Amino acid sequence: MKLTLEQCTIRPWRRDDAESLVRHANNRKVWIALRDHFPHPYTIEDAHTFLDSVIDSEPATLFCVEADGAAVGGIGIRIGADVHRHTAELGYWLGEEFWGRGIMTDGVAAFTDFCFENFHLRRIYAEPFANNRASARVLEKAGFAFEGRLKNNVLKDGKLLDSLLYARTK
Ligand SMILES: CC(C)(COP(=O)(O)OP(=O)(O)OC[C@H]1O[C@@H](n2cnc3c(N)ncnc32)[C@H](O)[C@@H]1OP(=O)(O)O)[C@@H](O)C(=O)NCCC(=O)NCCS
């Protein structure tokens, strides 16, 4: 799998991504927008553990976002089970020095198309925390529809937050 976009490439993770992964993932501003299973601080051991878990996993659902020749972010889906087996949750993050250039808007749009083409999915959704306007904007620009506000859905960094539900369907 390789999606070559104007400003980034989405491709499988490699073991030699570890150092760049730590450099961009070890950032509280990234962590604050993600689930707590994303470590903070993000150590080289965390990177190796993550890479060991994704490399050779079948089917591959988690991918590297490469820009300027280095691993600077991640994007992936988690496919549902049982009656939700045709749905998937989308997640993504990008190193702070690359924010605001349209990279993730393009990445989310192209990766969602790829997922609809390559998995038996009828719905791909994302749940940004309500204070994450940049992520909500990315989803809107990538063709996701706003479906609602989930009140008190998230407890992050000691704060109770709403989350926003966005989806694209096929
Ligand atoms: C959210 C994130 C992926 C955005 O990636 P990005 O490549 O910088 O996004 P883009 O440049 O494609 O688009 C960002 C949009 O949000 C807007 N934006 C950025 N900060 C904003 C803010 N504080 N309020 C409102 N809009 C904001 C930008 O102006 C842009 O919209 P525009 O093109 O209409 O001007 C990136 O900031 C990130 O990784 N954050 C931490 C992790 C995260 O939030 N992951 C998503 C979890 S759901």
Side-chain angles (χ1 to χ4, degrees):
M1 179 278 195
K2 188 171 180 181
L3 302 178
T4 305
L5 308 177
E6 214 166 284
Q7 298 191 75
C8 73
T9 300
I10 298 175
R11 54 137 176 102
W13 286 101
R14 303 190 306 243
R15 287 193 203 282
D16 67 356
D17 289 326
E19 282 186 14
S20 187
L21 171 57
V22 174
R23 171 157 173 231
H24 296 283
N26 186 30
N27 181 340
R28 191 178 155 80
K29 290 188 199 161
V30 170
W31 170 83
I32 199 75
L34 301 176
R35 304 242 164 110
D36 284 340
H37 71 72
F38 192 89
H40 190 72
Y42 200 111
T43 66
I44 192 75
E45 289 75 28
D46 293 320
H48 289 308
T49 302
F50 170 72
L51 293 170
D52 284 346
S53 74
V54 295
I55 289 167
D56 301 329
S57 70
E58 277 289 331
T61 53
L62 302 180
F63 296 92
C64 171
V65 177
E66 180 181 304
D68 290 352
V72 302
I75 190 163
I77 52 167
R78 189 174 58 177
I79 299 172
D82 201 286
V83 296
H84 296 122
R85 61 189 174 274
H86 65 295
T87 80
E89 183 178 16
L90 173 70
Y92 47 88
W93 66 272
L94 185 67
E96 186 180 359
E97 65 191 78
F98 293 87
W99 291 1
R101 302 187 195 175
I103 291 179
M104 226 16 132
T105 299
D106 288 354
V108 164
F111 183 69
T112 304
D113 290 344
F114 165 83
C115 290
F116 277 132
E117 283 160 19
N118 289 277
F119 298 95
H120 294 291
L121 293 172
R122 301 298 304 269
R123 171 184 171 83
I124 296 177
Y125 69 96
E127 282 186 22
F129 306 160
N131 57 7
N132 192 349
R133 294 309 309 161
S135 186
R137 187 78 194 109
V138 162
L139 292 163
E140 284 160 7
K141 289 193 294 175
F144 282 65
F146 175 66
E147 294 190 334
R149 186 175 188 108
L150 286 66
K151 295 280 212 178
N152 292 354
N153 194 36
V154 167
L155 188 58
K156 182 71 186 184
D157 197 31
K159 294 193 186 79
L160 194 57
L161 303 171
D162 298 348
S163 61
L164 306 177
L165 181 58
Y166 283 87
R168 257 180 68 180
T169 54
K170 179 182 160 187

